[in-house]
Coordinates of all heavy atoms in Angstrom, one line a residue:
R1 N 98.3 84.8 95.6 CA 98.0 86.1 95.2 C 96.7 86.3 94.4 O 96.3 85.3 93.7 CB 99.2 86.6 94.3 CG 99.5 85.9 93.1 CD 100.8 86.3 92.4 NE 100.7 87.6 91.8 CZ 101.8 88.3 91.3 NH1 103.0 87.8 91.5 NH2 101.6 89.4 90.7
D2 N 96.1 87.4 94.5 CA 94.9 87.8 93.7 C 95.3 89.0 92.9 O 95.3 90.1 93.4 CB 93.8 88.1 94.7 CG 92.5 88.3 93.9 OD1 92.5 88.7 92.8 OD2 91.4 88.0 94.5
N3 N 95.6 88.8 91.6 CA 96.1 89.9 90.8 C 95.0 91.0 90.6 O 95.3 92.2 90.5 CB 96.5 89.4 89.5 CG 97.8 88.5 89.6 OD1 98.6 88.8 90.5 ND2 97.9 87.5 88.8
A4 N 93.7 90.6 90.6 CA 92.6 91.5 90.4 C 92.5 92.5 91.6 O 92.0 93.6 91.4 CB 91.3 90.8 90.2
K5 N 92.9 92.0 92.7 CA 92.8 92.8 93.9 C 94.2 93.4 94.3 O 94.3 94.0 95.4 CB 92.3 92.0 95.1 CG 90.8 91.6 94.9 CD 90.3 90.8 96.1 CE 88.9 90.4 95.9 NZ 88.3 89.6 97.0
N6 N 95.2 93.1 93.6 CA 96.6 93.6 93.9 C 97.0 93.2 95.3 O 97.5 94.0 96.1 CB 96.7 95.1 93.7 CG 96.6 95.5 92.3 OD1 97.0 94.8 91.4 ND2 96.1 96.7 92.1
T7 N 96.7 91.9 95.7 CA 96.8 91.5 97.0 C 97.6 90.1 97.1 O 97.4 89.3 96.2 CB 95.4 91.3 97.7 OG1 94.7 92.5 97.7 CG2 95.5 90.7 99.1
V8 N 98.4 90.0 98.1 CA 99.1 88.8 98.4 C 98.7 88.3 99.8 O 98.5 89.1 100.7 CB 100.6 88.9 98.2 CG1 101.2 89.9 99.2 CG2 101.4 87.6 98.3
Y9 N 98.7 87.0 99.9 CA 98.3 86.4 101.2 C 99.4 85.4 101.7 O 100.1 84.9 100.9 CB 97.0 85.6 101.0 CG 95.8 86.4 100.5 CD1 95.5 86.3 99.1 CD2 95.0 87.2 101.3 CE1 94.5 87.0 98.6 CE2 94.0 87.9 100.8 CZ 93.7 87.8 99.4 OH 92.7 88.6 98.9
L10 N 99.4 85.2 103.0 CA 100.3 84.2 103.6 C 99.5 83.5 104.6 O 99.2 84.0 105.7 CB 101.5 84.9 104.2 CG 102.6 83.9 104.7 CD1 103.2 83.1 103.5 CD2 103.7 84.6 105.5
Q11 N 99.1 82.2 104.3 CA 98.5 81.4 105.3 C 99.5 80.7 106.1 O 100.4 80.0 105.5 CB 97.6 80.4 104.5 CG 96.9 79.4 105.4 CD 95.9 80.0 106.4 OE1 95.1 80.9 105.9 NE2 95.8 79.6 107.6
M12 N 99.5 80.8 107.4 CA 100.5 80.3 108.3 C 99.9 79.3 109.2 O 99.0 79.7 110.0 CB 101.2 81.4 109.0 CG 101.8 82.5 108.2 SD 102.8 83.7 109.1 CE 101.5 84.5 110.1
D13 N 100.2 78.0 109.1 CA 99.7 77.0 109.9 C 100.8 76.4 110.7 O 102.0 76.5 110.5 CB 99.0 75.9 109.0 CG 97.9 76.4 108.2 OD1 97.1 77.2 108.8 OD2 97.8 76.1 107.0
S14 N 100.4 75.6 111.8 CA 101.4 74.9 112.7 C 102.5 75.9 113.1 O 103.7 75.6 113.1 CB 102.0 73.8 111.9 OG 101.1 72.8 111.5
L15 N 102.0 77.1 113.6 CA 103.0 78.1 114.0 C 103.8 77.7 115.2 O 103.3 77.0 116.1 CB 102.2 79.4 114.2 CG 101.8 80.2 113.0 CD1 100.7 81.2 113.3 CD2 103.0 80.9 112.4
E16 N 105.1 78.1 115.1 CA 106.0 77.8 116.2 C 106.5 79.1 116.8 O 106.4 80.2 116.2 CB 107.2 77.0 115.6 CG 106.8 75.8 114.9 CD 107.9 75.2 114.0 OE1 109.0 75.8 113.9 OE2 107.7 74.1 113.5
S17 N 107.1 79.0 118.0 CA 107.6 80.2 118.6 C 108.7 80.9 117.8 O 108.8 82.1 117.8 CB 108.1 79.9 120.0 OG 109.2 78.9 119.9
E18 N 109.4 80.1 117.0 CA 110.4 80.7 116.2 C 109.9 81.5 115.0 O 110.6 82.2 114.3 CB 111.3 79.6 115.6 CG 112.2 78.8 116.6 CD 111.4 77.8 117.5 OE1 110.2 77.5 117.1 OE2 112.0 77.4 118.5
D19 N 108.6 81.4 114.8 CA 108.0 82.3 113.7 C 107.6 83.7 114.2 O 107.2 84.5 113.4 CB 106.7 81.6 113.3 CG 106.9 80.3 112.6 OD1 107.9 80.2 111.8 OD2 106.2 79.3 112.9
T20 N 107.8 83.9 115.5 CA 107.6 85.3 116.1 C 108.5 86.3 115.4 O 109.7 86.1 115.4 CB 107.8 85.3 117.6 OG1 106.8 84.4 118.2 CG2 107.7 86.7 118.1
A21 N 107.9 87.3 114.8 CA 108.6 88.3 114.1 C 107.7 89.4 113.6 O 106.5 89.3 113.7 CB 109.4 87.7 112.9
I22 N 108.3 90.5 113.1 CA 107.5 91.4 112.3 C 107.5 90.9 110.9 O 108.6 90.7 110.3 CB 108.1 92.9 112.4 CG1 108.0 93.3 113.9 CG2 107.2 93.8 111.5 CD1 108.7 94.7 114.1
Y23 N 106.4 90.8 110.3 CA 106.3 90.3 108.9 C 106.0 91.5 108.0 O 105.1 92.3 108.2 CB 105.1 89.3 108.8 CG 105.5 88.0 109.3 CD1 105.7 87.8 110.7 CD2 105.8 86.9 108.5 CE1 106.1 86.6 111.2 CE2 106.1 85.6 109.0 CZ 106.3 85.5 110.4 OH 106.7 84.3 110.9
Y24 N 106.8 91.6 106.9 CA 106.7 92.7 105.9 C 106.3 92.1 104.6 O 106.9 91.1 104.1 CB 108.1 93.4 105.8 CG 108.6 94.0 107.1 CD1 109.4 93.3 108.0 CD2 108.3 95.4 107.4 CE1 109.9 93.9 109.1 CE2 108.7 96.0 108.5 CZ 109.5 95.2 109.4 OH 110.0 95.8 110.5
C25 N 105.5 92.8 103.9 CA 105.1 92.5 102.6 C 106.0 93.4 101.6 O 106.3 94.5 101.9 CB 103.6 92.9 102.4 SG 103.0 92.9 100.7
S26 N 106.3 92.8 100.5 CA 107.1 93.5 99.5 C 106.6 93.1 98.1 O 106.2 92.0 97.8 CB 108.6 93.2 99.6 OG 109.3 93.9 98.6
M27 N 106.5 94.1 97.2 CA 106.0 93.9 95.8 C 107.0 94.6 94.9 O 107.4 95.7 95.2 CB 104.6 94.3 95.6 CG 103.6 93.6 96.5 SD 101.9 94.1 96.0 CE 100.9 93.3 97.3
N28 N 107.2 94.0 93.7 CA 108.0 94.6 92.7 C 107.0 95.2 91.7 O 106.4 94.6 90.9 CB 108.9 93.6 92.0 CG 110.0 93.1 92.9 OD1 110.3 93.7 93.9 ND2 110.6 92.0 92.5
I29 N 107.0 96.6 91.7 CA 106.0 97.3 90.9 C 106.6 98.4 90.0 O 106.2 99.6 90.1 CB 104.9 97.9 91.8 CG1 104.5 96.9 93.0 CG2 103.7 98.3 91.0 CD1 103.5 97.5 93.9
P30 N 107.6 98.2 89.2 CA 108.5 97.1 89.2 C 109.6 97.1 90.2 O 110.1 96.1 90.6 CB 109.0 97.1 87.8 CG 109.1 98.5 87.4 CD 107.9 99.2 88.1
S31 N 109.9 98.3 90.7 CA 110.9 98.4 91.8 C 110.2 98.0 93.1 O 109.0 98.0 93.2 CB 111.5 99.8 91.9 OG 110.4 100.7 92.1

């Protein structure tokens, strides 16, 4: 995460077919 940019990252390596999906980001701000 980069708090100055209010941004979160997910580096995904060695991807497999089972990783196929819709990926959703969620943040508690605070809800």
Side-chain angles (χ1 to χ4, degrees):
R1 61 190 286 169
D2 185 333
N3 293 327
K5 296 181 179 180
N6 294 329
T7 299
V8 62
Y9 305 96
L10 186 67
Q11 177 67 41
M12 305 186 292
D13 299 318
S14 303
L15 282 161
E16 304 168 353
S17 58
E18 290 78 12
D19 296 316
T20 295
I22 299 174
Y23 283 70
Y24 298 91
C25 168
S26 179
M27 298 187 187
N28 292 344
I29 318 178
S31 56

